[in-house]
Amino acid sequence: MGSTSFESITAYFPEKLRKLILGIPATLLEDLTEIRLRTAGPVYLVYSDRILYLCISGRLSSVYNESAYIVGASVIRDIVDRLCHFSVHSCTKQLSEGFFVIENGVRVGLSGAYSSSINPILTEFTSLNFRLSRSVDGCAEEIFSSYYDNNIMICGGVNSGKTTILRDICRLCGNLRKTALIDERNEISCLCKGVPQRSIGVMTDVISNISRSEGIVSAIRTLSPEVIVCDEIASVDDSEAIISGIGCGVKFIVTAHGNCFTELMKRKEIIKLKESGLMDIIIFLKGASAPGKIREVVRL
């Protein structure tokens, strides 16, 4: 049996911290979303509805006080060295982008001071965020079955479950049709050594670590997809690439940040998509507490 996301995270911790973390009761790991560490600060576990601090004794507390486990700079550096497999010079790409993707789709964000070189990379490290990747197979069934073969934009606020929904839609599409996933920040497929760590469909091709607009153009030119899936539309270039792709006969399923239609229409890239008349439906999600549940559907 393979390791879990939690075990993948603890494998990068030094021994003392790893033992404390592994001592946490399994019941307190079920809804865990992030493990965060900060130099001269605490180790804390983030849930959808609360934050718990790791204590020196190994227990968890809802209050940050003198009993908290305080992270030394050497611990942060040790973990970064492990993430780099003790070869920092071979990980300049990750250190310039500020994140790693490790086994089981865990995404590790880094903060700190960048070098002042032409191609800056992180050289001093102040905090780490291990973000567990969730797959909820079946959570997009309602959206997929109701709006199959439409050009769809899925919207919601921070932590509303957009990426989780999009991952499942990608899986459903990729099991039926030629699908291209434009995974700019490697958040959906969670590629590790070229292997997707999440189920994204047997016919899904992944283009990662490139801008959405460039990825869309590349997919259409080289992969002949029937469907293109991409996360977090954020620029007019993205919108223009989508419009061009739809004109080539490709269906698009995308996400965008926004809690309501009025909020969306403040963004020029979304206005451009709407005015093109090519997007069919905007779906607003209820939130992360109800993955896949639709709050509102706007037909364009």
Side-chain angles (χ1 to χ4, degrees):
M1 182 181 295
S3 65
T4 65
S5 295
F6 185 71
E7 290 167 339
S8 295
I9 291 172
T10 57
Y12 289 87
F13 290 173
E15 184 177 1
K16 180 180 178 181
L17 178 57
R18 182 165 59 248
K19 286 182 177 179
L20 289 176
I21 294 286
L22 289 175
I24 296 171
T27 54
L28 292 175
L29 302 178
E30 293 174 359
D31 300 320
L32 182 65
T33 61
E34 296 175 348
I35 299 177
R36 290 177 172 256
L37 304 86
R38 181 163 288 113
T39 302
V43 175
Y44 56 102
L45 281 62
V46 180
Y47 302 82
S48 60
D49 59 351
R50 66 195 189 281
I51 289 175
L52 297 176
Y53 298 94
L54 179 68
C55 298
I56 300 170
S57 64
R59 69 180 183 86
L60 297 177
S61 171
S62 59
V63 179
Y64 176 54
N65 54 35
E66 65 277 358
S67 68
Y69 179 97
I70 301 300
V71 180
S74 61
V75 170
I76 297 290
R77 182 69 208 202
D78 185 8
I79 294 172
V80 172
D81 285 340
R82 292 167 189 259
L83 289 167
C84 295
H85 299 287
F86 300 97
S87 179
V88 171
H89 297 295
S90 67
C91 294
T92 54
K93 185 176 187 299
Q94 293 93 326
L95 293 173
S96 66
E97 294 178 339
F99 72 91
F100 289 79
V101 176
I102 61 173
E103 296 80 2
N104 284 297
V106 174
R107 187 181 177 87
V108 190
L110 295 79
S111 72
Y114 280 82
S115 63
S116 57
S117 58
I118 296 175
N119 298 307
I121 64 171
L122 280 164
T123 56
E124 297 179 33
F125 309 98
T126 57
S127 66
L128 298 168
N129 175 20
F130 288 81
R131 184 176 182 182
L132 282 75
S133 174
R134 284 201 310 162
S135 287
V136 184
D137 287 358
C139 68
E141 288 281 1
E142 179 185 357
I143 293 174
F144 186 74
S145 60
S146 299
Y147 304 107
Y148 178 80
D149 213 33
N150 284 277
N151 292 305
I152 304 169
M153 183 184 301
I154 300 168
C155 301
V158 176
N159 294 325
S160 62
K162 296 188 299 295
T163 301
T164 302
I165 292 296
L166 196 68
R167 183 180 293 119
D168 197 43
I169 286 180
C170 186
R171 177 185 68 85
L172 293 167
C173 282
N175 284 337
L176 293 175
R177 308 170 75 180
K178 292 186 297 179
T179 300
L181 169 61
I182 314 304
D183 199 4
E184 181 176 9
R185 292 181 61 82
N186 197 20
E187 292 183 310
I188 302 169
S189 61
C190 303
L191 289 178
C192 186
K193 299 178 182 178
V195 179
Q197 301 293 294
R198 289 289 175 258
S199 177
I200 54 169
V202 297
M203 290 188 287
T204 298
D205 299 307
V206 181
I207 296 178
S208 186
N209 296 326
I210 189 173
S211 72
R212 276 174 293 274
S213 56
E214 292 175 306
I216 289 168
V217 172
S218 176
I220 292 171
R221 285 178 177 171
T222 62
L223 299 173
S224 64
E226 297 172 78
V227 181
I228 289 180
V229 175
C230 54
D231 206 5
E232 294 288 355
I233 301 308
S235 71
V236 171
D237 285 345
D238 293 346
S239 298
E240 290 176 346
I242 291 168
I243 291 167
S244 177
I246 294 174
C248 294
V250 180
K251 295 295 182 182
F252 276 78
I253 303 172
V254 305
T255 68
H257 185 81
N259 286 305
C260 63
F261 188 75
T262 301
E263 189 174 299
L264 275 181
M265 289 302 109
K266 294 177 181 178
R267 297 170 53 188
K268 56 186 177 182
E269 64 271 16
I270 305 302
I271 292 172
K272 190 173 187 69
L273 279 176
K274 177 181 178 295
E275 291 180 345
S276 74
L278 297 175
M279 294 302 294
D280 300 312
I281 291 168
I282 299 178
I283 295 172
F284 292 95
L285 301 177
K286 285 187 176 180
S289 61
K293 299 302 180 183
I294 299 170
R295 174 169 57 83
E296 182 184 7
V297 176
V298 177
R299 294 185 180 273
L300 300 175

